[in-house]
């Protein structure tokens, strides 16, 4: 069977980026990995075809030569003439699955991909590892597998553990580092699909989704929270309990505090993983009147307003 166009094999366009090609390969490799369908010869051939297509297109030089029509989908030179033992006049051969007595040795990407064990009649390739089929099987690193886990806001800020079930049936505890941000990715080495031909396993890529919090928000390493205070606390000043990601702390509200005033709590934010230094927490005050309105307070303000007034909108530039 003739080798198919590698772009068609991977299902990508000729203008596909290197990243698009890699994503397409990984998706198909996960579907057709021989370890997922043991004994399925057709699936194994499909996997080899996918791997061969990716091997050609992931090499920028070979891809460019293929796009220019200089080599065919198997990597064989289309135009150069053949010298002794089939070596091209360019000095480098792209071999196929045909007998090596026709094609030269040289750098053989197909042989590299499938283990370098193809049969070389009468030559050094014959012997151990070069059986009747002429191949020791493909050498392919195992594919990565993606997982996701959801953690509460406080646990992501302070660090936690979450148990996940892997595709191989194992369950493992994943450490969620303190300061983990939403959609961060954790890499678990060797926990992906198994490799072939002695190549290493792929990795498990765990995407962490952080739940929103009822009153905390995060900006980089800083935590922000809005805290309501009473009228008398605002006018006279007070000490109030304020929540932080590590528990409640007592905070002094200065006399004359107003809605929008911000207090800074140093070191009460999220620890930066690179510097190991914590951010800060910013407390925005909000003055709240009694609900329902207090009759005595209303009478007092009525009398107070007869001799005193102040224009807040003019000061804010709204008039």
């Amino acid at each position: 069977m003739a080798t198919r166009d590698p772009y068609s094999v991977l299902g990508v366009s000729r203008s596909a980026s290197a990243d698009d090609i890699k994503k397409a390969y990984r998706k198909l490799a996960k579907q057709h990995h021989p370890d997922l369908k043991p004994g399925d010869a057709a699936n194994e051939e499909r996997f080899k075809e996918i791997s061969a297509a990716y091997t050609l297109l992931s090499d920028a030089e070979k891809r460019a030569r293929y796009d220019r029509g200089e080599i065919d989908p198997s990597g064989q030179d289309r135009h150069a003439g053949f010298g002794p033992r089939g070596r091209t006049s360019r000095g480098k051969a792209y071999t196929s699955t045909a007998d090596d007595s026709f094609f030269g040795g040289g750098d053989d990407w197909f042989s590299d991909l499938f283990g370098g064990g193809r049969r070389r009649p009468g030559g050094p390739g014959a012997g151990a590892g070069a059986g009747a089929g002429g191949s020791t099987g493909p050498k392919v690193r195992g594919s990565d597998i993606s997982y996701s886990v959801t953690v509460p806001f406080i646990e992501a800020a302070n660090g936690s553990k979450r148990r996940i079930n892997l595709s191989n049936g194992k369950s493992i505890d994943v450490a969620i580092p303190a300061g983990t941000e939403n959609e961060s990715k954790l890499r678990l080495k060797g926990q992906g699909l198994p490799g072939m031909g002695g190549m290493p396993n792929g990795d498990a890529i765990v995407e962490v989704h952080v739940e929103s919090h009822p009153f905390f928000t995060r900006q980089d390493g800083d935590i922000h929270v809005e805290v309501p205070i009473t009228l008398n606390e605002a006018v006279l000043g007070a000490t109030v309990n304020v929540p932080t990601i590590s528990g409640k702390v007592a905070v002094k509200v200065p006399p004359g505090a107003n809605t929008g005033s911000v207090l800074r709590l140093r070191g009460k934010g999220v620890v930066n993983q690179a510097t190991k230094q914590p951010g800060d927490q910013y407390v925005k005050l909000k003055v709240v009147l009694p609900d329902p309105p207090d009759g005595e307070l209303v009478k007092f303000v009525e009398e107070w307003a007869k001799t005193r007034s102040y224009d807040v909108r003019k000061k804010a530039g709204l008039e």
Side-chain angles (χ1 to χ4, degrees):
M1 181 181 295
T3 306
R4 289 202 295 148
D5 171 48
Y7 291 103
S8 298
V9 171
L10 297 182
V12 298
S13 68
R14 286 182 171 269
S15 61
S17 67
D19 190 52
D20 290 337
I21 289 171
K22 181 183 290 186
K23 287 179 181 178
Y25 164 70
R26 287 182 174 178
K27 180 180 179 180
L28 292 171
K30 287 178 184 178
Q31 295 174 0
H32 298 282
H33 197 287
D35 286 351
L36 299 178
K37 300 178 181 180
D40 188 335
N43 180 71
E44 183 173 349
E45 289 304 313
R46 172 68 172 141
F47 183 77
K48 289 180 181 180
E49 181 183 47
I50 293 165
S51 299
Y54 177 67
T55 298
L56 190 149
L57 295 183
S58 63
D59 184 312
E61 181 182 353
K62 291 178 183 175
R63 180 183 179 183
R65 295 197 66 207
Y66 176 75
D67 290 344
R68 292 194 298 267
E70 296 176 6
I71 59 175
D72 66 16
S74 69
Q76 179 181 326
D77 200 306
R78 292 181 186 274
H79 306 301
F82 289 93
R85 286 186 50 77
R87 185 171 299 278
T88 70
S89 60
R90 307 176 77 95
K92 181 176 181 180
Y94 289 88
T95 63
S96 74
T97 53
D99 192 305
D100 280 350
S101 63
F102 179 74
F103 291 105
D107 295 328
D108 185 352
W109 64 268
F110 194 90
S111 178
D112 288 343
L113 177 64
F114 292 104
R118 294 194 301 109
R119 178 173 57 86
R120 296 180 181 273
S135 174
T136 59
K139 283 191 175 184
V140 181
R141 176 187 176 278
S143 297
D144 296 339
I145 301 182
S146 297
Y147 300 88
S148 66
V149 63
T150 301
V151 298
F153 184 95
I154 298 295
E155 292 188 22
N158 294 325
S160 181
K161 286 188 177 180
R162 275 291 181 274
R163 174 158 291 193
I164 64 172
N165 299 317
L166 301 178
S167 61
N168 59 11
K170 289 170 47 180
S171 295
I172 62 173
D173 290 326
V174 178
I176 310 297
T180 295
E181 297 187 62
N182 187 44
E183 297 185 349
S184 295
K185 290 184 172 67
L186 307 176
R187 182 178 293 272
L188 308 181
K189 291 286 188 181
Q191 297 295 339
L193 289 177
M196 299 184 65
M199 296 297 284
N201 293 351
D203 301 330
I205 310 298
V206 182
E207 183 172 87
V208 181
H209 297 273
V210 180
E211 295 177 341
S212 59
H213 195 273
F215 46 82
F216 286 132
T217 58
R218 177 178 174 181
Q219 294 180 11
D220 297 325
D222 297 329
I223 297 294
H224 293 256
V225 62
E226 185 176 78
V227 174
I229 59 174
T230 65
L231 179 62
N232 49 298
E233 288 171 339
V235 173
L236 304 175
T239 298
V240 299
N241 288 326
V242 172
T244 72
I245 59 174
S246 55
K248 290 184 178 180
V249 297
V251 175
K252 287 186 177 182
V253 176
N258 215 331
T259 293
S261 297
V262 177
L263 308 178
R264 181 182 183 184
L265 309 182
R266 292 184 180 275
K268 290 298 182 180
V270 177
V271 174
N272 184 294
Q273 290 299 304
T275 65
K276 304 302 180 185
Q277 297 298 313
D280 301 325
Q281 176 166 313
Y282 291 89
V283 180
K284 186 176 183 180
L285 301 178
K286 179 181 180 181
V287 181
V288 179
L289 296 175
D291 186 17
D294 180 271
E296 291 296 323
L297 178 60
V298 172
K299 290 180 182 179
F300 169 78
V301 173
E302 286 176 346
E303 291 299 318
W304 182 86
K306 289 177 181 178
T307 58
R308 299 170 180 84
S309 64
Y310 58 106
D311 194 333
V312 293
R313 287 173 292 282
K314 184 175 182 180
K315 185 177 180 181
L318 300 177
E319 289 185 354

